[in-house]
Amino acid sequence: MPRAKRRKPYDPAGAHDRRSQDLPFNAEVATVEIDDPLALEPGDKIVAFRSIRNDPLGRLHAHRQIDDTQYRSGRAFQNDWEKAERGPRAVDTTREYVDGGQQREPITEGQRQATLRLNRAEHELDADGSALVHDVLILGMTMEQVGQRRGLRTQRWQDYFARRLKECLDRLALMYGLATPNRIPVKDHRC
């Protein structure tokens, strides 16, 4: 005779459980600790999933191939690119004119500053570094795709592009003020 199933007691904490129980079969996620938006105490953290499927920078950070400073400098570059990209557009003469259409918004100070930082970054990284950073951070290419685009398909070139990207992210961290140029050894530090 089969045993009767025992009923679980009511658990009020489980009533509002916001965690996902399943993921799509093609999901690529990494865990990240973030501030709890519904926290009662400031500073409470929760663990969440972050999609890394179309985010090469997030993938490199999740697999510990770049550190936090390099990750933040890459995100700062992407943020500046998004700000600078939202500028006035050229007039499209092929579109039909509509009465009451809104005028284009002028360039803001934030967009101007972002453009100046991008120009400085391009100067700091030189042409090759700036093209590599653009391919990975803006177009979302992997090192393999970067190599294929340049006609360099061996593993050695992929490793070179990965090292070069880390160097470029370090230069961006210096430019954005996220890192200092010289590390001060603890023994030599005088108060």
Side-chain angles (χ1 to χ4, degrees):
M1 181 179 211
R3 288 178 71 166
K5 287 187 178 181
R6 296 181 88 186
R7 224 178 124 177
K8 293 182 183 178
Y10 175 70
D11 183 15
H16 300 289
D17 190 6
R18 300 184 309 263
R19 292 178 292 183
S20 174
Q21 299 299 323
D22 58 342
L23 292 170
F25 79 97
N26 61 349
E28 295 179 28
V29 295
T31 58
V32 63
E33 190 172 287
I34 60 171
D35 291 329
D36 188 2
L38 303 175
L40 299 175
E41 299 291 324
D44 285 349
K45 304 277 187 185
I46 60 171
V47 175
F49 286 126
R50 151 176 95 185
S51 176
I52 57 173
R53 185 170 63 185
N54 295 324
D55 183 16
L57 189 66
R59 175 181 314 229
L60 291 171
H61 186 253
H63 292 298
R64 305 279 187 243
Q65 294 174 351
I66 60 173
D67 60 12
D68 290 334
T69 306
Q70 292 168 333
Y71 175 75
R72 286 192 312 224
S73 65
R75 287 292 187 227
F77 182 85
Q78 288 174 334
N79 188 24
D80 279 347
W81 184 269
E82 288 175 7
K83 282 182 187 175
E85 194 177 47
R86 279 192 331 232
R89 304 275 185 233
V91 176
D92 187 5
T93 56
T94 60
R95 285 184 23 192
E96 185 176 329
Y97 177 76
V98 178
D99 284 342
Q102 299 175 352
Q103 288 190 352
R104 304 282 182 190
E105 60 185 47
I107 295 175
T108 64
E109 184 63 25
Q111 290 171 329
R112 193 177 76 75
Q113 291 296 326
T115 304
L116 290 174
R117 284 191 298 268
L118 288 173
N119 288 339
R120 183 173 168 220
E122 185 176 356
H123 178 71
E124 290 273 333
L125 299 176
D126 67 48
D128 184 45
S130 124
L132 177 64
V133 167
H134 184 270
D135 287 347
V136 174
L137 299 182
I138 305 305
L139 300 179
M141 299 174 112
T142 62
M143 297 305 147
E144 183 179 354
Q145 292 169 335
V146 168
Q148 287 175 355
R149 185 174 189 181
R150 289 168 171 78
L152 308 167
R153 292 181 168 81
T154 62
Q155 183 65 40
R156 191 171 187 167
W157 279 108
Q158 290 177 24
D159 294 341
Y160 167 75
F161 289 132
R163 283 193 313 273
R164 182 73 172 112
L165 178 67
K166 287 181 189 179
E167 291 172 7
C168 292
L169 290 174
D170 286 336
R171 294 291 290 276
L172 287 175
L174 287 172
M175 192 194 84
Y176 283 110
L178 299 171
T180 57
N182 296 326
R183 293 186 180 194
I184 302 171
V186 176
K187 293 178 184 178
D188 294 344
H189 183 69
R190 309 278 170 149
C191 291

